[in-house]
Amino acid sequence: MGYARACSVALVGVEGVVVEVQADLEPGVAAFTLVGLPDKSLIESRDRVRAAVVNSGAEWPQKKLTVGLSPASVPKSGSGFDLAVACAVLGAAERIDPASIADVVMIGELGLDGRVRPVRGVLPAVLAAAEAGYQQVVVPEQTAGEAALVPGVSVLGVRSLRQLIAILCDEPVPDEPVDDRGRPDAMLAGLMVPGTGLGAGLAPPRGEGHTPDLADVAGQLRPRKALEVAAAGGHHLLFSGPPGAGKTMLAERLSAVLPPLTRQESLEVTAVHSVAGILPPGEPLVSRAPYCAPHHSATMQSLVGGGNGMPRPGAVSLAHRGVLFLDEAPEFSGKALDALRQPLESGHVVVARAAGVVRLPARFLMVLAANPCPCGRHTLTGAGCECPPSVVRRYQARLSGPLLDRVDLRVEVEPVDRADLLEQGGRGEPTAVVAARVREARARAAERLAGTPWTTNSEVPGHELRTRLLAAPGALAAAERDLERGLLTARGLDRVLRVAWTVADLRGAPRPEAQDIAVALELRTGIQRGAPMEMGAL
């Protein structure tokens, strides 16, 4: 009787569970049994592994073979267990030393010719292996850079099962030919899920040789300042106005204003994108804030996560540490919009399905763009809007009150006049200048919040704002009046305080003054209070 074991990782959402792959050979009729709650793609690995072992020059054992995946209570899916199953079988057949693979985590799919194909989710799988105490990992050669992002783990990238057998047995490693005929590498096909990257890329769409810049936006002084405040403090933003005013242009330039991701944030975002299948080949680490813009016909499951079997990340998770832009927000279904309430508050989303419950990260900056009415001309003088008042009310009510209460900044985007459009009024500040101010403001907030679990002003709870992080004496008089009149809720007052701290950080002030509260109130309520909004005034 032969026995051997290797290790692999089962992904549950974006978290991994180390799985022990055990192979047992007994005398009897040749058969291959796979147990341990595998899914359809994993059951099919029996045929893939057998063909890969034979085509790699090894002999397939003609005995009763049982492969167990432990713990058996955890659902296993995907083809990433192929490499571990093949090595466990070869260890049980004594083709390789069972002790050499007992504590090695192996991740990869096997082709029928023995080539090791890359799979999605390598980074979270290696992170799970490192947390479990494993120090050696074998992955496909194409994903070795992604696995090497995890410190303290020795990564071996292999191109074929034949190479891995030679390395484990201290034999000469054979050379595998590389397809250099100029066509796309077919081995990378398993990393990208067709269609998932559309509208959910790492940056807004770009024209040929052109990078979107804030200087391209004509006029729009107040919306530009709201964009800067949103980026500096991580505040959610609503742009409302007629079509063609520049709402989408502004939102597409927000991700470039945000500071570069920290090392920990980059690992979080890369893990989500790797599992979702939108991580571009050749870019193992995402270093800039992602940008996700789903279509208004998106379902609730595509926004918060779902799918057949184990839930997969949705748009809110793909936008983690970045921007989620909902263009034509009133056209989204009310069920889908209201599903955003929980992740807006908690920074994560819990999705329960029949196959299990997963917790997905979802700390994003939400930008909504909305027209004032179905035809979009309601706020334009002499534009000929024919929408009845009842239709306008119903259209605007599609954005529910509880959802809007979680939006810190609400700005009316006015149509651009001739002077601004023809650049007679001068160009606005470029993205680089605004991004520099945002980085300085975030540095001030991080220094003030050092030693706390929060890093941006939008995360600070209201109790801290009212007890420890106090504004200047008398600065809250206007906000208190709005609270008494019903213009602000208790949550709204807390959000005004957070925005005021961000405005003060942009000014370099030690704490919010009355003018900072006025700017915050104007940006939240839309009621003009004479607050300074000129370039650099903040």
Side-chain angles (χ1 to χ4, degrees):
M1 181 181 72
Y3 172 83
R5 65 185 178 90
C7 295
S8 191
V9 178
L11 290 178
V12 182
V14 294
E15 299 176 352
V17 178
V18 176
V19 173
E20 193 174 88
V21 181
Q22 306 167 345
D24 178 70
L25 285 174
E26 296 180 353
V29 178
F32 188 171
T33 305
L34 183 65
V35 297
L37 211 59
D39 72 341
K40 181 66 175 177
S41 62
L42 188 49
I43 291 175
E44 293 174 349
S45 69
R46 296 179 299 183
D47 300 320
R48 290 195 302 271
V49 169
R50 182 187 292 111
V53 168
V54 173
N55 291 328
S56 297
E59 183 179 353
W60 184 261
Q62 298 299 319
K63 295 181 179 181
K64 181 181 178 181
L65 171 62
T66 303
V67 174
L69 308 175
S70 178
S73 59
V74 177
K76 290 92 179 173
S77 61
S79 56
F81 294 87
D82 290 2
L83 197 58
V85 171
C87 289
V89 172
L90 292 174
E94 299 182 352
R95 172 63 179 86
I96 57 179
D97 184 9
S100 64
I101 61 173
D103 294 321
V104 180
V105 175
M106 302 181 181
I107 305 165
E109 175 187 333
L110 286 176
L112 300 184
D113 57 353
R115 290 182 299 172
V116 181
R117 303 180 64 93
V119 294
R120 301 187 302 275
V122 168
L123 178 59
V126 177
L127 284 170
E131 292 176 359
Y134 291 87
Q135 299 178 349
Q136 292 181 314
V137 177
V138 179
V139 298
E141 187 180 54
Q142 291 86 347
T143 58
E146 183 181 344
L149 297 173
V150 183
V153 176
S154 176
V155 178
L156 173 62
V158 295
R159 194 174 299 169
S160 67
L161 179 60
R162 189 182 301 107
Q163 285 185 341
L164 181 57
I165 294 174
I167 293 172
L168 294 174
C169 297
D170 291 330
E171 300 173 355
V173 180
D175 292 330
E176 296 291 343
V178 179
D179 188 359
D180 56 355
R181 287 175 282 184
R183 61 190 182 189
D185 189 358
M187 296 288 283
L188 298 176
L191 295 178
M192 298 288 290
V193 178
T196 53
L198 299 178
L202 301 182
R206 300 184 177 185
E208 188 66 27
H210 176 70
T211 302
D213 195 283
L214 269 175
D216 302 332
V217 181
Q220 305 301 357
L221 174 63
R222 194 176 305 274
R224 287 171 61 97
K225 276 306 171 186
L227 201 74
E228 182 177 342
V229 172
H235 306 287
H236 306 303
L237 176 62
L238 167 64
F239 285 139
S240 59
K247 302 186 294 293
T248 303
M249 284 187 66
L250 287 162
E252 287 179 348
R253 285 150 177 79
L254 178 56
S255 60
V257 178
L258 294 174
L261 301 178
T262 63
R263 175 74 177 185
Q264 180 60 34
E265 292 171 347
S266 294
L267 290 177
E268 294 174 5
V269 175
T270 303
V272 175
H273 288 199
S274 179
V275 170
I278 64 171
L279 190 64
E283 295 185 23
L285 184 66
V286 180
S287 59
R288 56 184 179 179
Y291 174 88
C292 184
H295 192 259
H296 60 257
S297 61
T299 62
M300 183 186 72
Q301 289 76 15
S302 67
L303 282 181
V304 301
N308 295 329
M310 192 60 66
R312 296 184 58 191
V316 296
S317 297
L318 300 181
H320 180 58
R321 301 295 181 182
V323 178
L324 176 67
F325 176 46
L326 303 183
D327 199 5
E328 305 293 346
E331 300 295 340
F332 282 80
S333 70
K335 186 178 180 182
L337 289 175
D338 288 338
L340 299 176
R341 297 185 195 177
Q342 185 231 351
L344 285 175
E345 288 287 338
S346 62
H348 64 267
V349 60
V350 179
V351 183
R353 295 291 185 269
V357 180
V358 298
R359 183 179 184 271
L360 300 170
R363 187 169 296 282
F364 54 89
L365 199 164
M366 183 180 68
V367 181
L368 304 174
N371 293 328
C373 67
C375 75
R377 301 190 296 270
H378 178 64
T379 57
L380 298 178
T381 304
C385 175
E386 298 180 355
C387 300
S390 58
V391 173
V392 175
R393 284 195 301 270
R394 282 197 301 270
Y395 186 81
Q396 296 178 353
R398 293 182 182 180
L399 299 179
S400 64
L403 177 64
L404 290 180
D405 202 30
R406 290 166 168 83
V407 178
D408 299 344
L409 311 172
R410 308 172 192 174
V411 181
E412 184 74 24
V413 182
E414 301 290 343
V416 183
D417 57 25
R418 179 177 58 85
D420 289 331
L421 190 60
L422 299 179
E423 297 186 358
Q424 296 175 1
R427 291 170 59 88
E429 291 179 311
T431 297
V433 175
V434 179
R437 284 203 300 267
V438 168
R439 286 195 298 270
E440 293 175 1
R442 288 219 176 190
R444 295 188 187 98
E447 182 180 357
R448 181 175 62 253
L449 299 174
T452 68
W454 317 296
T455 56
T456 59
N457 293 322
S458 62
E459 302 172 8
V460 181
H463 176 72
E464 292 289 322
L465 294 171
R466 293 188 296 271
T467 57
R468 189 170 69 89
L469 302 175
L470 298 176
L476 289 175
E480 292 171 354
R481 286 195 300 269
D482 284 0
L483 181 64
E484 293 174 355
R485 295 170 182 170
L487 295 177
L488 283 179
T489 62
R491 180 193 285 122
L493 179 61
D494 291 343
R495 293 187 177 274
V496 166
L497 289 173
R498 294 169 185 164
V499 174
W501 271 105
T502 302
V503 176
D505 289 336
L506 286 169
R507 288 197 306 114
R511 59 179 178 175
E513 304 288 344
Q515 63 172 336
D516 302 321
I517 299 293
V519 171
L521 285 171
E522 185 169 334
L523 290 176
R524 177 168 179 86
T525 63
I527 302 174
Q528 297 190 11
R529 302 165 187 264
M533 289 287 179
E534 293 80 11
M535 293 296 179
L538 298 184

